[in-house]
Amino acid sequence: MGVFDKVEKGLENVVGNVFARAFKGDVQPVEITARLQRELDSEITLLSRDRTLVPNTFTIGLSQHDYDRLMPYSQTLNAEIGKQLMTYAAEKGYIFNGPITIDYQLDAALPIGRFTVDSNAVAGVVDAAAPARPSSRPATLVIEVNGVRHPLTPPGLIIGRGSEADLRINDPGVSRLHAQVKVVQTDSGVSVSVEDLGSTNGITVDGVRTRQAMLTQGSRIDIGSTHLTILSPVGDS
């Protein structure tokens, strides 16, 4: 039994023939699965000789007709497609940054039966509690990762993949203790800098590979395949 037959069989087992009839002549689940597998193959990032990173978040654009028909089944469909992508990635030796997510988006310009796919490798991020590092001062800057903002208060935080890090990033290109962002309160304001903690893949600040650098609003830090940006808190001008 081929992988696409497995998808169809799995979907039948979960939702029965009603599901198959609902999609007859429209965008088919097997077509989505096949397209996402091709997306993994075409959007690979080589981390090392035996480590290949692939996208884990997908946005599928659908016509109004297909969107209306697909959405009631999206949760069940995503569970089955996600399982097949995990199996496919394991067979190919691919690595995901984080959990697989599949979102559906209405695109009124698309005709019935056609769909688009946009993908990204998005790292799972955990902001670990740091009770040993209290600060009564409000954050004047934040560090944004994958759309989530984390306050920068003295003395700063450690970024890494390991459980010891204050800001944990589930990116195979990130070391267990990758970099330290130092925040120092001075008479003229807050001084923020970043220092590489001897990581395997190093850090890049504003496009320049470096061991350490001063950071200001708008500074961009790249570690592994993850991008971090220094910004003012929400509501500040």
Side-chain angles (χ1 to χ4, degrees), residues 200-218:
T200 301
N201 295 316
I203 61 174
T204 300
V205 177
D206 296 328
V208 179
R209 180 86 170 214
T210 184
R211 296 289 300 176
Q212 60 182 22
M214 298 302 298
L215 302 174
T216 59
Q217 181 178 342

Side-chain angles (χ1 to χ4, degrees), residues 59-63 103-107 110 114-117:
T59 301
I60 300 174
L62 297 164
S63 68
D103 295 317
Y104 300 91
Q105 190 173 76
L106 175 62
D107 186 344
L110 286 173
R114 297 287 299 274
F115 65 95
T116 60
V117 173

Side-chain angles (χ1 to χ4, degrees), residues 133-139 152-157 182-185 190-191:
R133 297 183 172 190
S135 174
S136 59
R137 297 179 180 273
L152 289 176
T153 56
L157 51 82
K182 298 180 179 180
V183 181
V184 178
Q185 186 70 44
V190 172
S191 171

Side-chain angles (χ1 to χ4, degrees), residues 169-213:
I169 300 179
N170 184 22
D171 180 338
V174 174
S175 298
R176 291 185 61 82
L177 296 177
H178 197 107
Q180 181 177 13
V181 176
K182 298 180 179 180
V183 181
V184 178
Q185 186 70 44
T186 66
D187 293 338
S188 58
V190 172
S191 171
V192 182
S193 62
V194 63
E195 180 180 348
D196 184 7
L197 296 178
S199 65
T200 301
N201 295 316
I203 61 174
T204 300
V205 177
D206 296 328
V208 179
R209 180 86 170 214
T210 184
R211 296 289 300 176
Q212 60 182 22

